[in-house]
């Protein structure tokens, strides 16, 4: 374990049978504090991994002093209720996490209407309607997953060591904890060693679509400009000397945008046509991820001046500029 100036980092790594390879969360011991950064899934594997890691280093649940959430996704917040029911401690997050974590009814209804309109405008037809029905069902089923603990705005600093960086894109509320002295970053899903992180299309608090991929690229460039030696990621392995990987991810986005531009040159006009053509079987299997990828890269091409769009019968059509 790295021990640097009274900061000990104890990774909790839980293997998962997917391309993510693992779900990672971290215990950080600083002075009198024992901080949990992220909280895995709400399942037995994550509970056991946390319990075993605490025990291995001489701790128990009641030694935890704070929980910090990098973003609201289910694989990062699952154990919060389980921990705080036994041991009430502060839970820190970005304010944009709050309505998502608390499963605020008005916010979720707005989000539902957002996706219904989005998929209609992107020409998704019946597949888009199917996804909206899935979201409605999930909204009801996941009501019990809302975070019951009080949430605290994490602000611009956390404790003695960490600067809080806003790094949205993968999620609008995503933050990273930066230890400038030791050049370490707890980055959530901003950067993953073995796969690119999805920039998921989301509405802002007013229901307006955010250009998630463009925002994600800004977040990556922000980290490219910082001295960072290690990135502690939400999945996979610790990333050492991450600048080359960050540049690789940015270059990959540009290459994918070029492929979509070729499809537009060849007559594909809607986001849905591009998605079906490029992703084929994966289109139906991972519909929401695929559409986020396509829409994000179309935003990039439009920002670059390579394409333009017009609405035809309620659907956005893209053409080569």
């Amino acid at each position: 374990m790295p021990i640097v100036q009274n900061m000990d980092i104890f990774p909790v790594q839980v293997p998962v049978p997917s391309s993510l390879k693992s779900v990672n969360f971290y215990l950080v011991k600083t002075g009198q504090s024992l901080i949990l950064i992220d909280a895995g899934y709400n399942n037995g594997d994550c509970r056991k991994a946390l319990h075993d890691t605490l025990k291995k280093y001489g701790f128990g649940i009641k030694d935890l002093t704070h929980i910090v959430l990098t973003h609201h996704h289910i694989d990062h917040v699952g154990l919060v209720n389980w921990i705080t029911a036994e041991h009430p401690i502060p839970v820190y997050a970005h304010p944009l996490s709050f309505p998502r974590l608390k499963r605020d009814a008005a916010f979720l209804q707005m989000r539902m209407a957002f996706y219904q309109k989005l998929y209609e405008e992107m020409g998704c037809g019946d597949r888009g309607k199917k996804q909206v029905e899935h979201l409605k069902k999930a909204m009801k089923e996941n009501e019990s997953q809302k975070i019951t603990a009080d949430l605290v705005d994490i602000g611009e600093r956390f404790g003695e060591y960490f600067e809080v960086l806003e790094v949205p894109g993968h999620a609008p509320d995503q933050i990273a904890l930066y230890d400038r002295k030791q050049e370490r970053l707890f980055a959530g899903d901003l950067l993953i060693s073995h796969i690119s992180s999805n920039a998921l299309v989301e509405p802002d608090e007013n229901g307006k679509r955010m250009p998630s991929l463009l925002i994600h690229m800004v977040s990556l460039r922000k980290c490219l400009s910082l001295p960072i030696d290690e990135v502690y990621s939400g999945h996979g392995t610790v990333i050492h000397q991450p600048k080359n990987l960050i540049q690789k991810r940015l270059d990959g986005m540009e290459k994918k945008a070029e492929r979509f531009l070729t499809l537009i040159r060849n007559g594909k006009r809607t986001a849905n046509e591009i998605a079906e053509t490029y992703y084929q079987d994966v289109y139906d299997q991972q519909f929401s991820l695929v559409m986020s990828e396509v829409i994000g890269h179309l935003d990039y091409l439009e920002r670059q001046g390579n394409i333009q769009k017009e609405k035809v019968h309620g659907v956005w059509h893209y053409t080569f500029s």
Side-chain angles (χ1 to χ4, degrees):
M1 286 300 110
I3 302 178
V4 182
Q5 294 196 352
N6 202 34
M7 180 192 285
D8 297 350
I9 301 171
F10 307 122
V12 184
Q13 189 172 60
V14 183
V16 293
S18 72
S19 62
L20 295 175
K21 293 190 177 181
S22 68
V23 169
N24 306 334
F25 38 117
Y26 300 93
L27 292 161
V28 178
K29 184 74 172 77
T30 66
Q32 299 302 308
S33 297
L34 182 62
I35 304 160
L36 180 65
I37 301 176
D38 285 335
Y41 280 115
N42 180 22
N43 64 24
D45 287 344
C46 287
R47 285 192 290 273
K48 183 178 187 304
L50 177 59
H51 177 270
D52 289 351
T53 305
L54 285 164
K55 184 178 179 181
K56 180 178 179 180
Y57 296 103
F59 303 117
I61 288 289
K62 295 200 173 179
D63 291 307
L64 294 172
T65 57
H66 310 79
I67 299 173
V68 176
L69 303 176
T70 60
H71 59 295
H72 72 280
H73 290 166
I74 193 169
D75 54 332
H76 291 258
V77 307
L79 298 183
V80 170
N81 285 343
W82 176 69
I83 294 167
T84 57
E86 180 179 342
H87 179 46
I89 53 175
V91 180
Y92 291 83
H94 192 285
L96 291 179
S97 295
F98 294 7
R100 294 168 166 86
L101 293 172
K102 290 295 186 180
R103 304 199 64 78
D104 177 80
F107 175 83
L108 292 179
Q109 288 294 341
M110 176 272 286
R111 191 169 179 269
M112 194 72 59
F114 166 83
Y115 284 114
Q116 185 169 349
K117 181 182 179 186
L118 175 74
Y119 294 143
E120 288 171 357
E121 291 181 338
M122 295 300 164
C124 298
D126 289 341
R127 187 59 185 85
K129 292 176 183 176
K130 180 181 175 182
Q131 182 66 20
V132 170
E133 289 305 310
H134 168 74
L135 290 173
K136 288 178 180 176
K137 183 179 179 182
M139 186 171 71
K140 293 178 181 177
E141 291 178 349
N142 293 335
E143 172 64 21
S144 63
Q145 300 298 314
K146 70 180 179 183
I147 299 301
T148 55
D150 291 336
L151 300 173
V152 182
D153 181 348
I154 194 165
E156 296 180 358
R157 289 202 62 84
F158 185 79
E160 178 185 353
Y161 293 91
F162 295 120
E163 299 172 35
V164 177
L165 307 181
E166 293 191 356
V167 287
H170 173 69
D173 57 317
Q174 185 167 246
I175 55 108
L177 299 180
Y178 179 45
D179 173 11
R180 187 177 293 271
K181 182 172 286 189
Q182 299 302 324
E183 299 183 353
R184 296 180 291 199
L185 189 73
F186 293 85
D189 288 352
L190 174 69
L191 190 67
I192 300 171
S193 58
H194 60 285
I195 54 172
S196 58
S197 181
N198 297 99
L200 302 175
V201 172
E202 282 271 1
D204 66 15
E205 59 271 30
N206 298 311
K208 182 179 179 182
R209 182 168 75 82
M210 292 179 281
S212 300
L213 184 73
L214 295 172
I215 293 169
H216 181 55
M217 294 172 84
V218 169
S219 294
L220 287 172
R221 290 189 185 109
K222 178 189 290 188
C223 294
L224 200 57
S225 71
L226 294 170
I228 299 174
D229 184 57
E230 293 178 325
V231 173
Y232 291 84
S233 176
H235 306 282
T237 61
V238 175
I239 302 163
H240 301 280
Q241 302 297 326
K243 289 186 183 292
N244 286 343
L245 181 59
I246 294 172
Q247 190 60 55
K248 179 182 176 181
R249 295 288 181 256
L250 290 167
D251 292 344
M253 293 168 197
E254 197 162 325
K255 289 175 183 176
K256 184 174 282 188
E258 284 293 326
R259 297 188 196 112
F260 292 164
L261 184 59
T262 298
L263 291 177
I264 293 170
R265 284 190 177 121
N266 291 339
K268 302 304 176 185
R269 292 289 174 260
T270 70
N272 194 69
E273 288 174 344
I274 294 166
E276 285 187 296
T277 303
Y278 186 84
Y279 287 99
Q280 301 184 17
D281 290 346
V282 178
Y283 164 82
D284 192 60
Q285 296 163 9
Q286 300 184 34
F287 175 78
S288 62
L289 297 179
V290 162
M291 292 311 301
S292 285
E293 280 284 287
V294 172
I295 293 166
H297 285 81
L298 291 174
D299 287 343
Y300 174 77
L301 289 169
E302 191 176 3
R303 175 71 63 87
Q304 296 297 106
N306 297 126
I307 61 173
Q308 57 192 10
K309 68 183 179 193
E310 64 172 337
K311 194 171 277 189
V312 180
H313 304 302
V315 176
W316 287 116
H317 282 58
Y318 295 86
T319 53
F320 182 67
S321 295

